[in-house]
């Protein structure tokens, strides 16, 4: 049972790895990721451009903040012990903006899935930062 | 096997940090292990509020290695993240340790009498205050 879960996790990570490597970012917001998220949200044709724009802006602003703090997630280098404290505050305002915009576009059911995607993304970011 | 030994070491260190020591430290101690129990976030816009350590991405267990002039995270999930110590100041009752990164400055005061610690991380927009308890690290890294 335990081994099965472990194998499944390894297969899942192996599947995700090329996407991260190709993108070279700690943020799971490559075009491939965004495309997966759009499918999961079951968006209408009208909703798609707005949600795509939110996720692309998250990526753009998030990467700018990470770059400013010298965090690339490459080379296996761990960030400093207190390096992420300030970073977290800066990312928070970008995240809040995205959530607020999404809540204006998505239905409550879609919004629940959006939060689920966000929570999974946060776990992936921690992993990419070697935490 | 190595991972199990490491985990055991962390658990023992955590127990050491949590235990009540007759004397929390003295001038000869070279490393301290601190268990962070509480954190607050303060900004100029609002009152200070309690925050989870996970939220601010600070490890709940930190080793202060005075000999190597480094502090390092030592929690099970978050270990091996370091900051360099820029300075150490000892008084008869306290140990004051400070340093900085590219975008933040931090300091810690450890009571040599009872091991209580307070720390501060100032990142410009906000300051985060950490509270915890330290003990001499009897399992040096």
């Amino acid at each position: 049972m335990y081994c099965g879960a472990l194998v499944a996790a390894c297969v899942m990570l192996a599947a995700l790895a090329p996407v991260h490597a190709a993108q070279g970012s700690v943020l799971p917001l490559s075009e491939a990721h965004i495309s997966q998220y759009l499918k999961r949200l079951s968006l209408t044709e009208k909703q798609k451009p707005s949600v795509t724009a939110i996720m692309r802006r998250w990526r753009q602003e998030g990467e700018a903040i990470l770059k400013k703090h010298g965090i690339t997630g490459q080379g296996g280098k761990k960030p400093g012990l207190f390096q992420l404290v300030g970073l977290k505050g800066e990312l928070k305002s970008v995240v809040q903006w995205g959530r607020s915009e999404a809540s204006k576009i998505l239905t409550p059911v879609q919004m629940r899935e959006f939060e689920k995607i966000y929570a999974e993304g946060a776990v992936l970011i921690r992993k990419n930062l070697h935490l | 096997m190595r991972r199990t030994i490491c985990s055991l070491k962390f658990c023992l260190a955590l127990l050491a940090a949590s235990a009540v020591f007759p004397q929390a430290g003295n001038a000869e101690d070279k490393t301290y292990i601190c268990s962070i129990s509480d954190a607050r976030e303060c900004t100029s816009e609002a009152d200070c509020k309690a925050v989870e350590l996970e939220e601010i991405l600070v490890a709940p267990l930190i080793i202060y290695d005075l000999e190597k002039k480094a502090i390092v995270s030592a929690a099970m999930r978050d270990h091996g993240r370091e900051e360099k110590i820029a300075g150490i100041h000892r008084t008869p009752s306290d140990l004051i340790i400070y340093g900085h990164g590219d975008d933040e400055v931090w300091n810690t005061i450890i009571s040599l009498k009872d091991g209580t610690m307070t720390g501060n991380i100032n990142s410009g927009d906000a300051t985060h205050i950490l509270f915890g308890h330290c003990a001499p690290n009897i399992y040096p890294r």
Side-chain angles (χ1 to χ4, degrees):
Chain A
M1 172 80 173
Y2 178 76
C3 281
L6 196 65
V7 169
C10 288
V11 169
M12 206 168 78
L13 288 173
L16 287 168
V19 180
H20 291 295
Q23 197 61 27
S25 171
V26 297
L27 302 177
L29 285 167
S30 66
E31 287 300 314
H33 283 114
I34 292 175
S35 170
Q36 284 172 22
Y37 302 151
L38 297 185
K39 276 183 201 156
R40 278 179 63 180
L41 288 167
S42 307
L43 300 171
T44 63
E45 286 306 312
K46 201 180 164 191
Q47 287 172 318
K48 273 181 190 171
S50 309
V51 177
T52 306
I54 290 170
M55 291 186 175
R56 284 183 181 156
R57 188 164 160 189
W58 262 358
R59 180 177 67 205
Q60 192 186 353
E61 294 195 14
E63 280 180 354
I65 292 168
L66 289 169
K67 196 177 168 189
K68 186 181 136 195
H69 288 267
I71 295 163
T72 61
Q74 291 171 330
K77 192 179 171 236
K78 291 190 177 197
L81 180 52
F82 298 139
Q83 193 180 353
L84 302 175
V85 176
L87 172 92
K88 190 84 180 173
E90 286 183 56
L91 284 175
K92 207 166 153 182
S93 58
V94 180
V95 169
Q96 276 171 349
W97 167 85
R99 278 176 158 160
S100 158
E101 289 300 303
S103 68
K104 291 175 199 165
I105 303 160
L106 302 176
T107 66
V109 175
Q110 287 172 323
M111 199 59 205
R112 277 199 291 277
E113 186 65 19
F114 185 86
E115 290 295 346
K116 215 168 135 189
I117 289 168
Y118 172 76
E120 289 169 12
V123 172
L124 267 176
I125 291 170
R126 286 189 73 101
K127 186 176 168 49
N128 293 342
L129 287 169
H130 311 284
L131 300 182
Chain B
M1 180 66 179
R2 193 168 166 229
R3 195 179 170 84
T4 312
I5 292 166
C6 276
S7 303
L8 189 65
K9 213 165 108 174
F10 288 140
C11 289
L12 289 169
L14 181 62
L15 280 174
S18 310
V20 179
F21 282 80
Q23 191 181 2
N26 59 55
E28 287 81 42
D29 293 320
K30 301 288 185 202
T31 62
Y32 286 81
I33 184 156
C34 300
S35 163
I36 316 297
S37 54
D38 208 2
R40 305 263 200 287
E41 182 179 85
C42 305
T43 63
S44 61
E45 291 151 14
D47 291 337
C48 298
K49 59 169 187 181
V51 283
E52 296 292 328
L53 288 175
E54 193 156 307
E55 199 183 321
I56 57 170
L57 300 169
V58 169
L61 209 60
I62 299 174
I63 291 172
Y64 288 74
D65 191 330
L66 308 185
E67 206 165 46
K68 291 179 185 162
K69 290 215 164 183
I71 63 171
V72 57
S73 59
M76 297 278 271
R77 266 176 46 192
D78 182 356
H79 58 272
R81 287 201 290 143
E82 290 194 16
E83 292 288 348
K84 283 181 187 164
I85 293 174
I88 301 163
H89 178 66
R90 284 179 193 272
T91 70
S93 57
D94 296 305
L95 185 59
I96 298 164
I97 304 160
Y98 54 91
H100 64 87
D102 289 338
D103 295 294
E104 74 282 334
V105 59
W106 58 267
N107 60 58
T108 303
I109 301 181
I110 300 170
S111 165
L112 295 173
K113 288 180 181 160
D114 60 11
T116 53
M117 71 85 79
T118 54
N120 182 299
I121 308 155
N122 188 339
S123 51
D125 299 333
T127 189
H128 290 83
I129 306 164
L130 308 177
F131 299 95
H133 191 273
C134 304
N137 185 18
I138 52 172
Y139 300 97
R141 63 191 179 115

